[in-house]
Amino acid sequence: MILEMQTILEMGMDIILKFLGFLIFLIVGFWVIKRLNRLVIRLLQKTNLEATFINFIGNSSYYFLVTLLLLMALSQLGIETASLIAILGTAGLAIGLALQGSLSNIASGVLLVLFRYFKVGDWIEVGGVDGKVESIEIFSTTICTFDNCLITIPNKKVIEGNIINYVAKPIRRIDLVIGVSYTDNIDQVKMILSRILAQDKRILSEPEPLIAVGDLADSSVNFWVRPWVETANYLPTKLALLEAIKKRLDAEGITIPFPQQDIHLFQEPS
């Protein structure tokens, strides 16, 4: 009886020691992984790699090391990891079939990083949403709209749709359509528009701005005004030009017509 109790106590102590070793191994392992992950990110930041790629590599390496740590910690409890890996592989296959959408998001995230369609900080439009890229994660991409809303889009939807990157090129063209009355002198209007563009230092001389009659619409003669600016100056220059053109045309007595129709009344003889 005493021998049996001693055996039970020894087994209990052995289990407790293994469990304590398991906990200590996990705690120390997580501490080491965090420090190692920070070190890897610091080393990558000293290279010319983009921030998007660095964050993606950092997240991927962290999850990989955590998985490896868990397998090693389970081996401390005496669990056969080889059979566990086989079980996990079978379970992973079943889970993979059930979570095809999530796996496709991961694959899409890898493609987004590898092909560099955009990076963190870019102004893009995807799926009818435009804004600044906040982050590119394994499963999703987060965009901050200009009214300060965060929108999270699954990577699969990002990669499958059209991606418009507004800041990929160093310069952009501003496209304005300015309508004037048919009774106004188009040479005078063209001269006014040319002077307005020449006064704005943000507008580039090369490529040369275009000012031309683009449409003879129902209610107006439409001028195409297409200057080039640096990408960073696109929005403020566009807004400033619209205001300057309206004020200058008003001062010169040039009419900016609104849609209208002429109605002719005929009186039939009685």
Side-chain angles (χ1 to χ4, degrees):
M1 187 69 177
I2 296 175
L3 202 61
E4 291 180 358
M5 288 293 296
Q6 187 176 0
T7 303
I8 294 173
L9 288 174
E10 288 178 355
M11 291 177 60
M13 287 298 297
D14 185 58
I15 293 173
I16 292 173
L17 289 174
K18 284 185 177 181
F19 186 73
L20 288 175
F22 172 78
L23 290 179
I24 293 172
F25 190 84
L26 279 182
I27 293 171
V28 174
F30 274 112
W31 183 86
V32 172
I33 286 175
K34 287 182 180 179
R35 298 300 183 277
L36 186 61
N37 193 55
R38 290 175 185 173
L39 178 62
V40 170
I41 291 176
R42 286 199 197 100
L43 292 175
L44 291 175
Q45 287 173 344
K46 293 180 179 179
T47 65
N48 294 326
L49 296 175
E50 295 181 1
T52 303
F53 185 75
I54 293 173
N55 291 334
F56 192 86
I57 292 296
N59 291 334
S60 301
S61 61
Y62 178 79
Y63 293 128
F64 173 77
L65 290 174
V66 167
T67 303
L68 190 62
L69 173 66
L70 290 175
L71 289 175
M72 294 174 64
L74 289 173
S75 67
Q76 298 293 319
L77 292 177
I79 298 175
E80 187 63 38
T81 55
S83 58
L84 181 62
I85 291 174
I87 295 172
L88 289 176
T90 305
L93 179 61
I95 293 172
L97 294 174
L99 300 176
Q100 292 183 18
S102 297
L103 294 177
S104 63
N105 285 328
I106 295 175
S108 300
V110 173
L111 292 177
L112 287 176
V113 172
L114 288 179
F115 290 100
R116 298 183 181 181
Y117 297 110
F118 52 84
K119 61 182 184 297
V120 173
D122 282 357
W123 172 22
I124 68 169
E125 180 180 345
V126 288
V129 176
D130 67 307
K132 182 179 178 182
V133 180
E134 286 280 314
S135 64
I136 304 173
E137 305 294 341
I138 295 178
F139 294 99
S140 61
T141 297
T142 302
I143 295 176
C144 182
T145 62
F146 293 104
D147 56 350
N148 209 31
C149 293
L150 285 179
I151 299 179
T152 302
I153 306 174
N155 286 332
K156 181 182 178 181
K157 290 187 176 181
V158 174
I159 205 75
E160 287 180 347
N162 295 327
I163 301 173
I164 303 175
N165 192 330
Y166 291 107
V167 295
K169 296 294 184 179
I171 62 173
R172 280 190 69 186
R173 190 183 71 187
I174 298 175
D175 291 353
L176 300 178
V177 178
I178 306 300
V180 300
S181 173
Y182 272 94
T183 59
D184 291 320
N185 187 317
I186 61 173
D187 292 327
Q188 180 189 5
V189 174
K190 191 172 183 180
M191 181 182 65
I192 293 171
L193 294 174
S194 299
R195 288 177 178 174
I196 293 173
L197 296 186
Q199 291 171 355
D200 197 318
K201 302 301 181 183
R202 294 169 294 187
I203 293 175
L204 305 176
S205 56
E206 289 293 335
E208 185 179 357
L210 171 68
I211 301 175
V213 175
D215 295 298
L216 298 177
D218 294 336
S219 304
S220 62
V221 178
N222 293 335
F223 278 83
W224 290 355
V225 182
R226 296 180 174 179
W228 291 82
V229 296
E230 293 181 359
T231 301
N233 295 330
Y234 175 82
L235 188 58
T237 306
K238 180 178 181 179
L239 298 178
L241 283 178
L242 287 172
E243 183 177 346
I245 289 172
K246 176 63 170 67
K247 289 180 178 179
R248 188 65 179 274
L249 293 182
D250 287 345
E252 296 289 341
I254 305 296
T255 305
I256 300 178
F258 49 85
Q260 52 187 302
Q261 292 181 338
D262 292 334
I263 299 177
H264 301 274
L265 299 177
F266 297 94
Q267 184 176 5
E268 294 185 358
S270 58

